[in-house]
Amino acid sequence: MADVARRAGVSAMTVSRALKGTGTVTPETQARILQAVAELGYVLDKSAGALSSKKTGFVSVLIPSLNNSTFSDTVHGLIDVLDTQAMQVLIGTTGYSRAREEAVIETMLQRRPEGIVVTGGRHTPRARAMLTAAGVPVIETWEQPAAPIDHVVGFSNAATVEDLMARLVDRGYRRIAFIEGGEGDDPRGEDRRAGYERAVARHRLERTCVIAVGRVPISMEDGARAVVQLVETWPEVEAVICVSDGPAFGAIMECHRRGWAVPGRLAIAGFGDFELARQCWPSITTVSVGSRDLGRQAGSLMLEAIAARYAGAPLSPRRVTVAHTLVERDSTARRASPPTWAGRVA
Amino acid sequence: MADVARRAGVSAMTVSRALKGTGTVTPETQARILQAVAELGYVLDKSAGALSSKKTGFVSVLIPSLNNSTFSDTVHGLIDVLDTQAMQVLIGTTGYSRAREEAVIETMLQRRPEGIVVTGGRHTPRARAMLTAAGVPVIETWEQPAAPIDHVVGFSNAATVEDLMARLVDRGYRRIAFIEGGEGDDPRGEDRRAGYERAVARHRLERTCVIAVGRVPISMEDGARAVVQLVETWPEVEAVICVSDGPAFGAIMECHRRGWAVPGRLAIAGFGDFELARQCWPSITTVSVGSRDLGRQAGSLMLEAIAARYAGAPLSPRRVTVAHTLVERDSTARRASPPTWAGRVA
DNA sequence: CTGTTAGCGCTTTCAT
DNA sequence: ATGAAAGCGCTAACAG
């Protein structure tokens, strides 16, 4: 920077101002500086700037896994918004493990993010303590924690599945099962199952039928295995909700292989509204939570919270509930065989 | 840090050493320092450390999009490896645009990454210049550029599709089409198409039949639209290769809807070996390039290159070719209807 | 094994 | 509108 300053015949400070574009520099000086920058191939060092200004320009985002279209959609939404303020998103993956989340938080804090977005509302005590002590805005997403750390942008996983159950009951299904992950920690999956169980009680259905397979996040193949197990265990079941669209898809494909009509022999629903749910044959009934929009909303709130904090008036904890939509498609239709065209684009 | 030092009765330097764990600190002192750290809730500031040591601990990775299981797998592989050395991956998305790539590179360089991984081998001249001038190891992936910037971990997209074509021809298919994206810049897609065209020439097939739809990256729905267009345009076509597994899946589902047997009426192959390709009914013939392993290999090479650079002996440009595998499944089998079980787990 | 000194490259603050 | 001085929090380098 000193080199640029010398070449442009100004002080380093003026170069700094010119590069930040605060407009407090004469157009001619500005031009001369940019010229020098170009000639020297100078690139601003934000690490140094961060140290000095105490603003790193980082926002940390913790998600269970990148290989999940749902969470990467949320991250995309966040980036969409944070990019406008030149904030860099630091992505950390926790592998569906609270212990790993704790470790990732510790590492992230060393980068002094100006805000932190986490997935879920359940953390180890130490993780929670670190997040609280960080002194920056924290947003918990994808859930609706009873005692939030700070802000929340989420929805009730249980409620979405209760809604879905109500719809299925409305369509005449009474013997409804639930497919979920076997091993591992998946709070959102557990909430969904709780919603299923509550609905079974509320609608006075005969019983709960839960098949647990694989390790979270459960795969398409797990869904395929589960549906076989389901039909063998409870042949009378008429419909099944899978904890996400992946296994729902796997289950449907397995039914095709075995010649079990969907929804004729068994109606199948998922969660998440993946692209594949709309394109599958039959198209899959699911719950859409607008993952990308969730990310955008978290991004906007984060920017607001960060600005408020620097303005000396920190935002009081906000709780944003994102809407979910039931997307009823062919996989749960009350028909003997899947249709050809109708409902293809739901 | 000074606070910690005072409380532990040592100098800041000793605290720094203790925290880095170089082992040059007495166990007792170490314990006293960690105690003080815990009591004060002190968190190391890596930004400051980076400025001082000139090692940021960042490696930048540029990918077209996070919402593509293929690239996020590669990123996961990279993180797997870089995490072991406490390197933080900075992810940048370019949205399949060279112009955006250039902009993202410029932003990334301000963070002084110790290495840069980019997707593809074609960049704007300025992007290329910046990468070269950055003075850190650069790895181009997912392609096999003729004139690499530095290192390469990739494969020939054209060759993979040529192999796939050879296999289809071997299986007796002669009228083979190709489905690709319409608008947008997708170098790897173009390479694959080039491979298709070369194969058409080599095997003296009658003609090339290319259907271009949508905007890159093309969706499942684009694949569905394309297959209809294909059958309408060239009803005599017996097999089609899609530029990726997504549209191949969409095409197959559309065939189901219309009652066109796959592979009976039309054989369909994809690229990428997504989870969905194995689980689909019929299972999809595809090319596997081991995206996650590609990421791991890039990660290892990056660590080596970074170490070599600090050792004063920069690695001379390396070219790693990752193997690809043809995964022949039911969607191209020479049978009238899809099988029930065989080949399900290819 | 531990401490001292200097300085990384920038921005804040205050002055002009 | 621009400059000078000081310092952000840490670590390299050297000394002891």
Side-chain angles (χ1 to χ4, degrees), chain A residues 48-70:
Chain A
L51 182 60
S52 175
S53 67
K54 303 174 144 252
K55 293 185 186 176
T56 55
F58 288 133
V59 170
S60 293
V61 184
L62 270 52
I63 55 175
S65 164
L66 279 173
N67 306 36
N68 182 314
S69 56
T70 277

Side-chain angles (χ1 to χ4, degrees), chain B residues 1-345:
Chain B
M1 193 159 189
D3 295 343
V4 174
R6 206 169 306 121
R7 189 172 192 112
V10 294
S11 74
M13 198 54 234
T14 306
V15 175
S16 174
R17 284 193 268 249
L19 257 33
K20 201 183 290 179
T22 43
T24 73
V25 178
T26 304
E28 303 126 44
T29 317
Q30 173 103 9
R32 214 160 4 105
I33 291 171
L34 293 180
Q35 169 86 22
V37 165
E39 283 167 12
L40 291 149
Y42 169 75
V43 179
L44 189 68
D45 185 334
K46 285 214 176 180
S47 299
L51 182 61
S52 176
S53 67
K54 302 178 143 248
K55 292 185 186 176
T56 56
F58 288 133
V59 170
S60 293
V61 185
L62 272 52
I63 56 174
S65 165
L66 279 173
N67 306 35
N68 183 313
S69 57
T70 278
F71 297 123
S72 38
D73 272 345
T74 298
V75 173
H76 256 295
L78 258 165
I79 294 178
D80 286 347
V81 175
L82 296 179
D83 226 35
T84 64
Q85 304 303 312
M87 287 271 181
Q88 167 77 247
V89 172
L90 289 180
I91 300 174
T93 54
T94 63
Y96 291 85
S97 146
R98 260 120 125 165
R100 246 200 85 51
E101 186 191 52
E102 181 182 307
V104 174
I105 290 172
E106 186 160 22
T107 309
M108 284 294 183
L109 290 178
Q110 304 192 337
R111 298 289 182 181
R112 297 289 188 272
E114 298 183 49
I116 305 172
V117 178
V118 297
T119 304
R122 278 156 280 186
H123 319 279
T124 66
R126 201 164 88 85
R128 196 183 167 99
M130 288 192 291
L131 289 174
T132 308
V136 296
V138 173
I139 302 181
E140 292 170 284
T141 62
W142 276 88
E143 290 188 33
Q144 203 86 95
I149 297 175
D150 190 6
H151 310 290
V152 177
V153 176
F155 60 90
S156 160
N157 284 272
T160 61
V161 172
E162 278 189 80
D163 283 2
L164 180 53
M165 284 289 286
R167 184 69 64 93
L168 292 179
V169 168
D170 201 47
R171 291 289 180 257
Y173 296 103
R174 302 287 298 174
R175 298 161 195 273
I176 310 176
F178 191 81
I179 288 175
E180 65 175 3
E183 297 156 55
D185 183 34
D186 178 16
R188 290 163 292 289
E190 283 160 28
D191 284 353
R192 287 172 208 157
R193 203 243 329 242
Y196 160 76
E197 285 172 347
R198 287 217 295 266
V200 167
R202 165 176 314 167
H203 299 288
R204 304 184 190 292
L205 305 186
E206 202 177 315
R207 59 177 304 166
T208 59
C209 306
V210 176
I211 300 278
V213 291
R215 151 159 281 283
V216 296
I218 62 170
S219 64
M220 295 176 179
E221 189 173 350
D222 290 328
R225 287 198 295 122
V227 77
V228 173
Q229 205 178 316
L230 172 66
V231 168
E232 281 170 359
T233 316
W234 293 294
E236 71 278 15
V237 160
E238 308 153 337
V240 56
I241 295 176
C242 296
V243 73
S244 93
D245 283 349
F249 169 76
I252 290 176
M253 293 299 117
E254 184 65 29
C255 288
H256 286 341
R257 273 178 225 118
R258 299 190 168 237
W260 298 341
V262 178
R265 169 68 184 83
L266 185 68
I268 298 180
F271 182 99
D273 197 20
F274 300 175
E275 183 184 11
L276 133 188
R278 192 175 40 221
Q279 290 306 316
C280 185
W281 177 77
S283 57
I284 307 178
T285 292
T286 187
V287 178
S288 170
V289 294
S291 340
R292 186 147 185 172
D293 189 56
L294 193 155
R296 288 211 193 89
Q297 295 204 46
S300 307
L301 176 56
M302 182 53 81
L303 288 178
E304 199 183 339
I306 291 173
R309 177 161 162 264
Y310 292 136
L315 234 53
S316 55
R318 212 112 109 185
R319 181 185 283 265
V320 178
T321 302
V322 305
H324 66 270
T325 332
L326 247 45
V327 188
E328 203 173 357
R329 298 204 181 101
D330 299 336
S331 68
T332 58
R334 268 310 201 177
R335 269 171 281 194
S337 66
T340 314
W341 271 104
R344 192 185 140 215
V345 181

Side-chain angles (χ1 to χ4, degrees), chain A residues 307-330:
Chain A
R309 179 164 161 261
Y310 291 136
L315 233 53
S316 54
R318 210 111 110 187
R319 182 185 283 265
V320 179
T321 301
V322 304
H324 67 269
T325 332
L326 247 47
V327 188
E328 203 172 359
R329 298 203 181 102
D330 299 335

Side-chain angles (χ1 to χ4, degrees), chain A:
Chain A
M1 194 156 185
D3 295 343
V4 174
R6 205 170 306 118
R7 190 170 189 112
V10 294
S11 75
M13 200 50 239
T14 306
V15 174
S16 175
R17 285 194 266 250
L19 256 36
K20 199 181 291 178
T22 43
T24 75
V25 178
T26 305
E28 303 127 43
T29 317
Q30 173 102 9
R32 210 153 14 97
I33 290 171
L34 293 181
Q35 168 86 23
V37 165
E39 283 168 10
L40 291 155
Y42 168 76
V43 179
L44 188 68
D45 185 333
K46 286 213 176 180
S47 300
L51 182 60
S52 175
S53 67
K54 303 174 144 252
K55 293 185 186 176
T56 55
F58 288 133
V59 170
S60 293
V61 184
L62 270 52
I63 55 175
S65 164
L66 279 173
N67 306 36
N68 182 314
S69 56
T70 277
F71 297 123
S72 38
D73 272 345
T74 298
V75 173
H76 256 295
L78 258 166
I79 294 178
D80 286 348
V81 175
L82 296 179
D83 226 36
T84 64
Q85 305 302 312
M87 287 271 180
Q88 167 76 248
V89 172
L90 289 180
I91 300 174
T93 56
T94 63
Y96 291 85
S97 146
R98 260 120 125 165
R100 246 200 86 51
E101 186 192 52
E102 181 182 309
V104 173
I105 289 172
E106 186 160 23
T107 309
M108 283 296 183
L109 289 178
Q110 303 191 339
R111 298 292 182 180
R112 297 288 189 273
E114 299 182 49
I116 305 173
V117 179
V118 297
T119 305
R122 277 156 281 187
H123 319 279
T124 66
R126 202 165 87 85
R128 195 183 167 99
M130 287 192 292
L131 289 173
T132 308
V136 297
V138 173
I139 301 181
E140 291 170 284
T141 62
W142 275 90
E143 290 187 33
Q144 203 86 97
I149 297 175
D150 190 7
H151 310 290
V152 177
V153 176
F155 59 91
S156 160
N157 284 271
T160 61
V161 172
E162 280 190 78
D163 283 2
L164 180 52
M165 283 289 286
R167 185 69 64 94
L168 291 179
V169 168
D170 200 48
R171 291 289 180 259
Y173 296 102
R174 299 289 298 177
R175 297 161 193 275
I176 310 175
F178 191 81
I179 289 175
E180 65 175 3
E183 297 157 56
D185 182 34
D186 178 16
R188 289 162 293 289
E190 283 160 28
D191 284 353
R192 287 172 210 158
R193 201 238 333 236
Y196 160 76
E197 286 171 347
R198 286 217 296 266
V200 166
R202 165 176 316 167
H203 300 287
R204 304 183 189 293
L205 305 186
E206 201 177 318
R207 59 177 304 165
T208 59
C209 306
V210 176
I211 300 278
V213 291
R215 149 159 284 284
V216 297
I218 63 171
S219 64
M220 294 174 180
E221 190 174 349
D222 290 328
R225 288 198 296 120
V227 77
V228 173
Q229 206 177 313
L230 171 65
V231 168
E232 282 170 359
T233 314
W234 294 293
E236 70 278 16
V237 160
E238 309 153 336
V240 56
I241 296 177
C242 297
V243 73
S244 92
D245 284 348
F249 169 76
I252 290 177
M253 293 299 118
E254 184 66 27
C255 288
H256 285 341
R257 274 178 223 118
R258 298 188 168 237
W260 298 341
V262 177
R265 168 69 183 85
L266 186 67
I268 298 179
F271 182 98
D273 197 19
F274 301 176
E275 182 183 10
L276 134 188
R278 193 174 39 220
Q279 290 305 315
C280 185
W281 178 79
S283 55
I284 307 178
T285 292
T286 186
V287 178
S288 170
V289 294
S291 340
R292 186 149 185 170
D293 189 56
L294 194 155
R296 288 213 192 89
Q297 294 203 47
S300 306
L301 176 56
M302 183 54 81
L303 289 178
E304 198 185 338
I306 291 174
R309 179 164 161 261
Y310 291 136
L315 233 53
S316 54
R318 210 111 110 187
R319 182 185 283 265
V320 179
T321 301
V322 304
H324 67 269
T325 332
L326 247 47
V327 188
E328 203 172 359
R329 298 203 181 102
D330 299 335
S331 67
T332 58
R334 267 309 201 176
R335 270 172 279 192
S337 65
T340 314
W341 272 105
R344 192 184 140 217
V345 180

